[in-house]
Amino acid sequence: MYRVVTDDHIQHQLDALPAPALAAFAELRVLLELDPWAGGPVNPANPHGPVRTMSFGPGHEGVAAYLILDSERRVDLVQIAWLA
């Protein structure tokens, strides 16, 4: 299991999410704790790179970018966006 880490920058983005996005983000967080490698690479030229993205929400309105630190079993959220 991985530990998902947020900083003040990410917390500000989370605080700005609309109510429907919060449940979807909670589901995303569980997935990141269990299998962060399920997300796609930010750079397709580096398909095994540790910086990944994953969409979330019923219509995939949300996007998260994150860094996987396997040696620490940690996922650092880098960016959260809700497009709806």
Side-chain angles (χ1 to χ4, degrees), residues 19-76:
L22 297 177
F25 176 75
E27 292 175 9
L28 170 72
R29 188 177 184 106
V30 169
L31 182 56
L32 292 176
E33 290 173 349
L34 298 174
D35 187 15
W37 290 101
V42 168
N43 181 358
N46 186 11
H48 303 293
V51 180
R52 318 291 283 180
T53 64
M54 192 177 296
S55 61
F56 64 99
H60 301 281
E61 303 91 342
V63 178
Y66 55 94
L67 169 66
I68 303 169
L69 300 165
D70 256 344
S71 63
E72 298 177 35
R73 303 292 290 175
R74 186 172 113 186
V75 173
D76 287 359

